[in-house]
Amino acid sequence: MSGANLSASAVSRRAGRGRIDKRHAILDAAFAVFAREGYGKASVDAIADEAGVAKPTLYNHFGGKEDLFREAMAATAEQATAKSLAVVAGLASDVEDLSGVLADVGYRLLLCHSSDEAWALRRLLYAEIARFPELFERVWGHGPNQLSEALADRLARLALAGRLRLTDPVRAAEQFVALLTGPLEGRTVLGTRTVSDDELRATVAAAVGTFISAFAVVDEEAGGARR
């Protein structure tokens, strides 16, 4: 009896994992089709073909095209946010070369921001915001807020370590992200123009230079050098 119960439990777990995996595959396929075709031209048939599932299977997981769009956008946004948060987690408070570390973090954040998926996510959100106004907070508001809060925590630790002068870490974090991403929006024309690695690094260098000038602690004993 015990063996039978364990076997039934294992089968149930495998079935659950399989359902979750299939759901993820459908969401990935849906986002790929929406990014390629746009919401209006994308069809449920095309999404089912992309996912390699039967159309009824797709409807068993989601109510239809609108639900698919909402969930695919949210899932892609969560993945993008997770990548950016992993970058910020590497910003320690005991660094010697603050400018160098900020440049490394900034560069990797820009790589996340300028990935194909990230650009497609923003283009779709801008194009369909009137049809899906609730997605702004779910997709656009939630991710950047998480990033700002995580970065603010790291900047606050640097302030406590005597490396930065901050009165509002959250605002400083928002300003750092804006210095990084703001110039890129226009230069890439919403991701339709390729930006070279040199341009990315130049954008990061300018952002870090401005941020350090505004917030880094001056070491008077070192002749006014930034710490």
Side-chain angles (χ1 to χ4, degrees):
M1 181 65 69
S2 176
N5 288 339
L6 285 173
S7 178
S9 177
V11 169
S12 178
R13 286 197 300 271
R14 284 197 295 271
R17 284 197 300 268
R19 184 174 177 82
I20 292 172
D21 290 343
K22 187 163 291 184
R23 179 183 173 87
H24 287 167
I26 292 172
L27 289 175
D28 288 345
F31 185 78
V33 173
F34 287 129
R36 186 171 64 242
E37 305 291 339
Y39 178 80
K41 293 183 178 180
S43 69
V44 174
D45 286 326
I47 294 170
D49 288 343
E50 184 89 11
V53 300
K55 194 172 177 180
T57 300
L58 190 149
Y59 281 114
N60 284 338
H61 286 269
F62 303 94
K65 183 177 170 180
E66 288 189 2
D67 286 343
L68 264 174
F69 184 74
R70 290 188 181 94
E71 296 305 317
M73 291 285 283
T76 303
E78 288 175 5
Q79 293 168 11
T81 299
K83 291 176 183 178
S84 294
L85 292 177
V87 171
V88 171
L91 180 56
S93 58
D94 58 350
V95 298
E96 292 186 7
D97 180 9
L98 180 58
S99 293
V101 171
L102 286 175
D104 177 64
V105 169
Y107 175 71
R108 289 192 289 143
L109 282 176
L110 269 194
L111 289 180
C112 294
H113 181 81
S114 59
S115 70
D116 290 342
E117 292 80 9
W119 281 124
L121 183 69
R122 291 194 290 278
R123 286 196 298 267
L124 282 167
L125 183 63
Y126 298 156
E128 302 299 334
I129 192 64
R131 193 196 307 262
F132 300 95
E134 77 283 359
L135 276 180
F136 183 83
E137 183 59 31
R138 188 175 180 189
V139 172
W140 188 247
H142 186 62
N145 285 342
Q146 278 190 295
L147 176 60
S148 292
E149 289 171 4
L151 183 56
D153 175 72
R154 296 291 166 166
L155 296 180
R157 296 185 190 191
L158 284 164
L160 288 173
R163 305 301 301 276
L164 295 174
R165 295 178 290 103
L166 300 178
T167 57
D168 188 338
V170 173
R171 180 165 293 182
E174 291 172 346
Q175 290 170 341
F176 183 60
V177 172
L179 287 168
L180 289 169
T181 61
L184 207 61
E185 296 288 333
R187 292 179 186 179
T188 64
V189 194
L190 290 180
T192 59
R193 172 185 172 271
T194 301
V195 174
S196 69
D197 190 67
D198 287 343
E199 285 183 272
L200 284 181
R201 292 187 182 277
T203 300
V204 172
V208 171
T210 300
F211 188 83
I212 287 293
S213 295
F215 296 112
V217 171
V218 176
D219 190 343
E220 300 294 346
E221 295 182 0
R226 303 284 177 176
R227 293 182 59 186

